[in-house]
């Protein structure tokens, strides 16, 4: 298939690599010639610095959008208006009204709109969801997510809720099959040169399940873990290795659950291409992306008003 990748910075280069390896005909668009030169050195792809050139190429059926968050809405809208199927990186937009507008536009134009919620393609989390759905863990009492690493303070005004929040919040949505109905959030720009919150505790409730998410750019330890405590068993998953430890609550014995790790980006891209070919939704559909952006709006509201938001 003829595919466009818009934005070939740090993460866009990964999209280019996977489409290229899957033998698609790839056109890459970036404002910076040096990024285009870098992808051209590695893969046989077409390149342009002019977004309109890509948009006006009617043979390009589908695009990945991997530009900075603040540009997602405008670029995705243009692509959908031009009849392109879209895989839009997370966070879908920085405003939930705009996110739902994109969902409507895709529906109206009968186009696939998928979001880069890559953890829905992580075999460890898929297995965890299965353990929850089959009742192996019992009633789910709590979930604790640690999503931390050390980063320099960002200069482009992005905050921790929009940067690390989408993955952690969507994992909750994915494994529990429901969105939280209550959120209470506390965050701070820890370092003096940080303009936005760069470490936060997001507390939520989804039905009777209590959730605590620790997101941080100031913690010198890269962690991507989910610990789910059920009435019968508990499960700890390292989302980077995709390995699960299952703990029997009654005697605290532990066992490893075998998981064949997936390459989530390859799975995400293949699922998008299949959805385009067969005209169906992906498991990381645009509506899910919009719901998560709405949840992040509520996190911001909770921080600003220093209160619990129920909805
Ligand atoms: N799913 C994940 O796990 C994951 C991981 C990292 C980043 N991301 C997301 O990927 C996106 C990109 O992040 P990044 O770290 O690669 O950013 P980046 O700044 O490294 O790259 C963005 C690129 O987009 C280009 N660009 C901006 N506007 C453009 C336009 N109008 N036309 C063409 N190119 C344009 C820029 O020149 C730049 O090269 C972000 O939304 C980020 O949240 C997702």
């Amino acid at each position: 298939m003829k595919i466009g990748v818009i934005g070939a910075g740090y993460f866009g280069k990964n999209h280019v690599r996977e489409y290229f390896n899957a033998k698609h005909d790839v056109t890459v668009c970036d404002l910076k010639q040096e990024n285009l030169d870098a992808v051209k050195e590695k893969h046989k792809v077409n390149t342009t610095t002019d977004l309109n050139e890509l948009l006006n190429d009617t043979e390009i059926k589908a695009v990945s959008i991997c530009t900075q968050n603040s540009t997602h809405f405008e670029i995705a809208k243009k692509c959908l208006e031009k009849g392109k199927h879209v895989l839009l990186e997370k966070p879908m937009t920085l405003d939930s009204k705009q996110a739902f507008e994109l969902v409507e536009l895709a529906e109206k134009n009968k186009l696939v709109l998928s979001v880069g919620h890559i953890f829905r393609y992580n075999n460890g989390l898929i297995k965890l969801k299965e353990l929850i759905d089959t009742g192996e863990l019992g009633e789910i009492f709590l979930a604790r997510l640690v999503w931390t690493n050390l980063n320099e303070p960002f200069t482009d005004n992005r905050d921790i809720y929009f940067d690390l929040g989408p993955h952690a919040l969507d994992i909750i949505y994915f494994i529990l099959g429901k969105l939280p109905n209550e959120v209470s959030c506390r965050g701070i720009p820890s370092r003096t040169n940080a303009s936005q919150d760069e470490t936060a505790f997001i507390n939520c409730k989804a039905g009777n399940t209590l959730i605590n998410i620790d997101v941080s750019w100031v913690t010198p330890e890269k962690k991507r873990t989910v610990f789910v405590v059920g009435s019968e068993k508990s499960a700890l998953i390292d989302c980077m290795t995709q390995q699960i430890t299952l703990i029997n609550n009654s005697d605290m014995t532990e066992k490893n659950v075998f998981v064949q790790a997936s390459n989530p980006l390859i799975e995400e891209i293949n699922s998008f291409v299949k959805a385009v070919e067969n005209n169906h939704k992906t498991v990381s559909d645009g509506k899910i992306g919009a719901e998560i952006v709405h949840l992040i709006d509520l996190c911001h509201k909770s921080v600003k008003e220093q209160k619990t938001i129920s909805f």
Side-chain angles (χ1 to χ4, degrees):
M1 189 184 294
K2 200 164 177 192
I3 297 217
V5 176
I6 305 167
Y10 159 65
F11 209 65
K13 287 192 178 78
N14 298 334
H15 282 244
V16 175
R17 184 190 63 232
E18 299 311 343
Y19 284 122
F20 179 78
N21 287 345
K23 312 240 179 305
H24 295 292
D25 179 357
V26 189
T27 299
V28 187
C29 172
D30 198 292
L31 300 175
K32 293 183 188 155
Q33 188 59 45
E34 73 243 39
N35 284 340
L36 297 177
D37 293 342
V39 289
K40 249 194 141 113
E41 216 170 84
K42 289 199 165 161
H43 316 290
K44 201 168 168 297
V45 292
N46 310 308
T47 57
T48 177
T49 50
D50 179 4
L51 180 57
N52 285 322
E53 195 184 310
L54 187 153
L55 291 172
N56 290 330
D57 183 338
T58 50
E59 285 180 12
I60 296 179
K61 282 182 79 173
V63 295
S64 270
I65 300 174
C66 309
T67 54
Q68 288 91 344
N69 303 342
S70 58
T71 65
H72 285 184
F73 173 67
E74 195 196 327
I75 295 177
K77 191 168 177 215
K78 278 187 187 161
C79 291
L80 292 167
E81 282 170 347
K82 281 283 187 180
K84 317 268 184 226
H85 301 276
V86 169
L87 169 54
L88 178 55
E89 261 308 337
K90 57 89 251 207
M92 188 175 172
T93 59
L94 295 178
D95 174 303
S96 57
K97 277 200 199 93
Q98 292 183 336
F100 284 110
E101 190 181 323
L102 293 179
V103 173
E104 260 183 42
L105 185 57
E107 265 168 26
K108 191 178 122 213
N109 292 355
K110 299 193 172 33
L111 294 164
V112 175
L113 174 60
S114 192
V115 289
H117 289 191
I118 197 167
F119 287 90
R120 287 185 177 243
Y121 303 90
N122 176 305
N123 275 354
L125 286 160
I126 291 169
K127 182 69 191 171
L128 176 64
K129 179 173 172 50
E130 187 188 308
L131 292 171
I132 294 172
D133 288 349
T134 56
E136 175 102 13
L137 304 188
E139 187 190 343
I140 306 303
F141 291 152
L142 72 94
R144 188 186 305 139
L145 283 77
V146 182
W147 226 252
T148 61
N149 57 271
L150 190 60
N151 254 344
E152 290 298 312
F154 285 102
T155 50
D156 59 3
N157 216 27
R158 75 176 97 165
D159 71 27
I160 193 87
Y161 313 103
F162 270 125
D163 199 74
L164 295 184
H167 287 318
L169 291 165
D170 187 49
I171 285 171
I172 292 298
Y173 190 12
F174 177 54
I175 61 172
L176 297 182
K178 59 185 164 201
L179 283 161
N181 53 305
E182 206 178 284
V183 61
S184 163
C185 213
R186 192 81 205 260
I188 46 169
S190 305
R191 295 167 291 193
T192 47
N193 49 348
S195 56
Q196 298 288 344
D197 285 1
E198 52 178 356
T199 188
F201 295 121
I202 302 171
N203 292 309
C204 318
K205 234 178 114 193
N208 287 330
T209 306
L210 204 59
I211 299 138
N212 169 256
I213 304 172
D214 170 2
V215 279
S216 169
W217 284 322
V218 296
T219 308
E221 182 183 32
K222 182 159 182 175
K223 265 198 163 190
R224 301 286 187 264
T225 58
V226 179
F227 187 41
V228 178
V229 177
S231 54
E232 308 299 321
K233 291 180 185 162
S234 303
L236 173 66
I237 156 161
D238 180 333
C239 297
M240 291 188 291
T241 62
Q242 306 186 21
Q243 297 312 299
I244 300 181
T245 307
L246 197 62
I247 304 151
N248 196 327
N249 291 357
S250 56
D251 57 9
M252 300 220 298
T253 50
E254 293 185 3
K255 76 168 192 191
N256 295 324
V257 177
F258 175 75
V259 175
Q260 180 73 54
S262 55
N263 180 322
L265 184 59
I266 294 181
E267 298 300 324
E268 178 186 288
I269 278 173
N270 285 345
S271 138
F272 172 58
V273 171
K274 258 194 209 137
V276 169
E277 283 169 348
N278 302 316
N279 203 17
H280 60 70
K281 293 186 190 314
T282 66
V283 295
S284 54
D285 179 44
K287 183 157 178 281
I288 293 167
E291 285 168 332
I292 293 300
V293 176
H294 180 239
L295 199 51
I296 296 171
D297 284 350
L298 298 173
C299 289
H300 284 133
K301 185 171 158 72
S302 169
V303 172
K304 195 168 164 217
E305 297 177 8
Q306 295 191 15
K307 67 177 193 196
T308 299
I309 311 288
S310 301
F311 43 97

